[in-house]
Amino acid sequence: MMDAPSRNQSHPPCPPWVVQNGWSSDAPAGPLCNPLSDLQQLSLGCEPSQNLSYNHLQASGVYSKSDVAAFSTRSNSHPSMQYVCKVDQSIPDGLSPTIQERNKPPCSLPYNEAAQPMQHYSPPNAYQAVDPSSYSQHTYRSLLNQPPAQHPLPVSFSCVEPQLNHNQHLASDGGNSGSFVGFNDMLTSPSAPIQQQPLWSFAAFSKGSINDFVPTASPLDHNLTPQSPNSESRYGLNPELLPSVVKVMAEDRAEWDGKVFISEHFSRLPPLATTSCVIEDRGNVSPLAIRSITYCVPCDGQTALLSRLPLGALVTPFFNQNECLPIPLCEHTDCVVGCRWCGASMCPAMGWQDCGQRFYCPFCGKLNEVPWQQYQPTKGAKGVRVDKDKRPELSMGSYETLNSEKGEAAALLLAIDVSASALRGGHLEFVAQQIHTLLTSLVRGGVCREAGDSSSDLRVGLMTYDSRIHLYDLSPDLSRPHMLVIAETEDMQLPVREGLLVSLKDCIESIDSVLQLIPQFGAECSDSSGLSIELPVKAGLAVLQGLKCPGKLLIFHTAALIETGHTNSSSGFFGTNKPKSIFQPSEKAISLAKECIIQGCGVHMFVLSQQDVGGAWPGHIPFLTGGALHTYSYLQGELDRERFSTDLKRIVETETAYKAELRIFVSKDLRVSGCYGLFVPGSNPGHIAMATLNCRTTLAVELTHSKALDETRGAAVQVVLSYTSQTGERRTRVQTLTLRCSRHLQDTFRNYQAETLLTFYCKKMYCAVLERPLQELRKELQTDVTEALASYRKHCCSSSVSAGQLVLPQFLRALPVYVNGLRKSEVLLPGLRSSVHQRLQQRCRVLGLDTRSTVRHFYPLLLPLLPSVDSSSPPDPEGALRCTSSNLDSSGLYLVHAPFTVLLWVGTQVPAGTLVELFNASCFSSLPSGETNLPALENCLSIRVRSLISSLNSDVPYARKLVVVKQGDTCEEALQRHLVEDKSPNGGASYADFLYHLHVNSVRLLL
């Protein structure tokens, strides 16, 4: 395996050579866990005459059954288990020179001059080389996942002389959709014409020491900072020559700079999610709402199986409209009726027939009669209705309808813990003050009202609790609020309903009087045994149910938490078969979350104290209802208080959809086979109910072929979101995406994007971590990507390539580094200092992110700060560096930006004047490290850096604390976790080593 399990992960016993970083600590630079463990020798070069024979599929798109069998593990729930196969036959001690020559898959990946030559060892008999032809397909592929040999395998290096051959094109699909590693990575933009690019070619095969592996046309910069041990490749690869995420993003930004992406019927591949671009809806939904995993769907299931990549889409149904044109709103009764057979809404994908009297539904394949009241004739050969431009449902990929029914407006309910622990903490006064400040600003600013609509006033309720529930009657007719105590919390009954939720402008004074008294409460009940997580949720839900309205429930909790009820039996995070009560939500919590979903109650919990290790985790109900969990340490520090104020304001002011119902329709020859995200799953993956929904909530939808698609009709995906707005209006948002279909596997690969695949894999794997062993999930990720690269190499490369040439699709160049970052994340590969609560928190937070934030989480921005001091603009986020320690100069300042973290790394050689300007510190030794706030100093550097951090903080879902990391300090491990191209502290492999394994294993599949 590539990664080493940590101590708090129950894996089978590791071989003695495995240490925390995943590799041997005392062996030489040779690969101990060699991916070619069954081969006698490994060569990093190849003879010019050595060519592997691949069966390329021609443009006819007809695939044989053997081709499908070679990569058809998608239908198995545990694909990686197909490789486990025992070889009972005897293995010959020697092979003919021809067979030995064929079993040397060379690698022409860029070589690092600093690497030391590897020594030779004798392999055990069980792993001696054999003729691949003597194995069956699955028997030979099973060698990929066999346990490593106890002794390193012999490795012989071939003397190669890399040269640039400008007379050869890239060995790609002929459309500049493939790229190689081993040349100066100067790839063109997606729309640029095909250009000749440098390709490695090898001189005569010779024996001896390794020559310098440097391209002549693009020499390496020898002034680069020497690589740290974490960034070095144990196989001698130069990480600087590997595909770069930063470069891919820069190329996409340059491609779409100043342009408008027109989303029309069967539109082309959109800009990356990290690229800001103006999007115009001309009949296809914006990629901000629905982003297909591939924009060219295979026509049949066999082609999809051969790609070894998933089919589906990322759905952000309530996406932020500020980034595009407003979605048109029309009355439901004025819209053309949709399909009466399957329930799909009217959209541009419907096909009109018989001069507009009927339309064909692509989601069920049936014809529908048009009511005479809504009939309009068609024109032209394509049969377009004459009123198309006047009706959003006929011309727009996204539109909303306003239903006639009117419900109750959403409410805001505040629940404050007044137990003995909370009163002793000393923070209730600050909490009460912040709540009052926020509510006062809502009244003065008019945020809680729509102009000219007094019925839209925000209704607010207040309650306190210890082991009992204290409700407050806030009716404006009363001279002062009345407290109503509920001692029987098992079968909760509301004593009154009137006055529990009152318009904010009418009850602001009553709420203020209660908030002033809360810090003076006396502890009436002991909380030594803790409080139930469900208690405040049940009370708030009872209030909303009694008044029949949706809303947000904000819980401010301090006491120790206990969880009641029986828990599910599952394998848990650590891969054992024992029940893990901490990891799985209890049946009672799931039942309560379902009640919140029916009522439209989104729970947001603020835990104001540091919970004991091993206690119940309170985040299950908040995250399953569209809310979140925020943790603080008694709000004693200034940083925690600022973060609390920002989180509280953001939650209250965020636009939210309540009582959301999501229905997903796909073409009649496709079906929804899975849906992954933060919600309570039901029996139908295409029908999802959620309590609340915000603009960042993103779901991953997986599709599967049921029959072959019609290439002329294409494929269609429609997402229908029915929700209640803040004012109580019931609305329906219809979003439709149409995609091209092709019988050629080459077209499918050309329309994948690495960022989209990363987000899909992340949501799918993070939803499976509670049920399946982590080692199995990491292996499945690596196997899927390996087989996808092998399939692309075999079926989509039009020119002959050597076995040592790394072949990647044009838009999947960044996929290996993304997948490696996902595999070694704290959720899938826990470190020694990772607590269960931290991993559960990170898992749920990441599951709720959209595509752009997910990419930033697994590949943060690394921004140099000092080069921009003399410029007139702040540091540019587009000038990011690769996330590797080799880019950190000891004389520089670097900012690391991720959705949940912002770090400022300070080198030991930073000029003293810079430290004074930014930190007001005289020298490096006096500079404090850890969580801090930059002082507000009146100089260019301080102003620009603080402006940059403020701008980055406005684009993340949670408030963050700035962490200053000094070079060589003990807290530098926090930075190492974000340098995803290096070896990670929890044992994850470096990007260069992981890419080497992917390449070699993909070549092995084709032998």
Side-chain angles (χ1 to χ4, degrees), residues 288 383 494 608 706 732 744 841 908 940 986:
L288 298 174
L494 296 180
L608 307 178
S706 56
T732 300
H744 308 308
Q841 178 94 334
T908 56
C940 294
N986 61 350

Side-chain angles (χ1 to χ4, degrees), residues 275-303:
T275 300
S276 299
C277 178
V278 179
I279 300 173
E280 183 178 342
D281 185 345
R282 291 190 184 178
N284 234 12
V285 68
S286 166
L288 298 174
I290 303 179
R291 183 176 288 270
S292 179
I293 298 179
T294 177
Y295 277 76
C296 185
V297 180
C299 285
D300 55 87
Q302 287 187 345
T303 308

Side-chain angles (χ1 to χ4, degrees), residues 374-395:
Q374 298 176 337
Y375 168 77
Q376 286 291 335
T378 59
K379 62 179 180 179
K382 295 183 179 181
V384 179
R385 281 184 41 142
V386 295
D387 61 344
K388 173 184 176 181
D389 295 335
K390 300 178 182 179
R391 290 186 174 272
E393 68 270 25
L394 301 179
S395 60

Side-chain angles (χ1 to χ4, degrees), residues 458-770:
L458 176 67
R459 292 187 297 172
V460 179
L462 180 65
M463 71 178 186
T464 56
Y465 66 94
D466 41 27
S467 61
R468 303 172 301 177
I469 300 297
H470 316 131
L471 300 178
Y472 296 90
D473 187 348
L474 304 175
S475 299
D477 299 335
L478 301 176
S479 58
R480 60 180 182 179
H482 289 181
M483 176 189 288
L484 310 171
V485 180
I486 302 178
E488 182 58 42
T489 58
E490 289 298 327
D491 186 16
M492 194 171 299
Q493 299 292 333
L494 296 180
V496 296
R497 288 180 173 83
E498 297 296 331
L500 298 182
L501 293 176
V502 181
S503 175
L504 178 57
K505 64 179 181 180
D506 297 330
C507 68
I508 183 65
E509 295 180 358
S510 299
I511 292 179
D512 186 24
S513 62
V514 176
L515 292 175
Q516 291 179 2
L517 294 175
I518 284 179
Q520 305 174 17
F521 281 9
E524 300 181 8
C525 301
S526 174
D527 60 351
S528 58
S529 59
L531 296 179
S532 171
I533 295 176
E534 293 84 5
L535 178 61
V537 180
K538 287 174 57 179
L541 181 60
V543 173
L544 296 178
Q545 287 174 339
L547 296 174
K548 299 180 180 180
C549 66
K552 296 178 182 177
L553 173 60
L554 275 58
I555 302 174
F556 305 90
H557 191 87
T558 304
L561 291 166
I562 59 174
E563 191 171 15
T564 59
H566 298 288
T567 57
N568 297 329
S569 177
S570 69
S571 60
F573 264 5
F574 296 154
T576 67
N577 293 324
K578 299 178 181 179
K580 292 293 191 300
S581 60
I582 298 177
F583 304 144
Q584 291 285 343
S586 64
E587 295 290 347
K588 191 173 183 180
I590 294 178
S591 176
L592 193 55
K594 291 181 179 179
E595 293 185 41
C596 292
I597 291 172
I598 296 174
Q599 189 59 37
C601 173
V603 180
H604 298 262
M605 181 169 284
F606 297 81
V607 178
L608 307 178
S609 62
Q610 189 70 33
Q611 297 295 312
D612 295 334
V613 176
W617 187 64
H620 293 299
I621 295 177
F623 282 111
L624 289 177
T625 58
L629 174 66
H630 306 266
T631 57
Y632 311 89
S633 182
Y634 291 103
L635 299 178
Q636 297 301 319
E638 180 184 354
L639 295 177
D640 266 348
R641 295 193 171 198
E642 290 182 2
R643 192 161 59 93
F644 174 83
S645 303
T646 304
D647 287 333
L648 179 61
K649 182 178 180 182
R650 184 173 295 172
I651 289 173
V652 174
E653 296 182 352
T654 298
E655 185 180 4
T656 307
Y658 302 88
K659 291 186 177 181
E661 293 184 9
L662 201 66
R663 292 175 297 161
I664 303 172
F665 301 91
V666 294
S667 296
K668 65 182 183 66
D669 298 323
L670 297 173
R671 63 181 179 88
V672 179
S673 57
C675 190
Y676 313 103
L678 281 177
F679 58 90
V680 179
S683 57
N684 183 6
H687 192 180
I688 300 164
M690 306 180 73
T692 59
L693 201 65
N694 59 40
C695 62
R696 293 183 183 272
T697 305
T698 301
L699 308 177
V701 180
E702 188 169 16
L703 305 179
T704 307
H705 285 82
S706 56
K707 291 192 303 183
L709 291 167
D710 186 352
E711 190 171 4
T712 59
R713 292 185 181 274
V717 178
Q718 184 178 91
V719 177
V720 180
L721 172 66
S722 299
Y723 69 97
T724 300
S725 67
Q726 176 69 44
T727 59
E729 297 175 338
R730 192 66 183 172
R731 298 188 177 190
T732 300
R733 180 177 294 189
V734 181
Q735 299 169 134
T736 309
L737 175 68
T738 56
L739 302 167
R740 293 188 299 110
C741 290
S742 176
R743 300 185 180 276
H744 308 308
L745 188 61
Q746 184 182 32
D747 295 333
T748 301
F749 272 108
R750 291 170 114 180
N751 286 274
Y752 276 101
Q753 287 181 331
E755 293 184 352
T756 312
L757 279 173
L758 167 67
T759 309
F760 178 87
Y761 281 136
C762 170
K763 295 185 182 298
K764 183 175 182 179
M765 294 300 163
Y766 277 21
C767 285
V769 292
L770 300 182

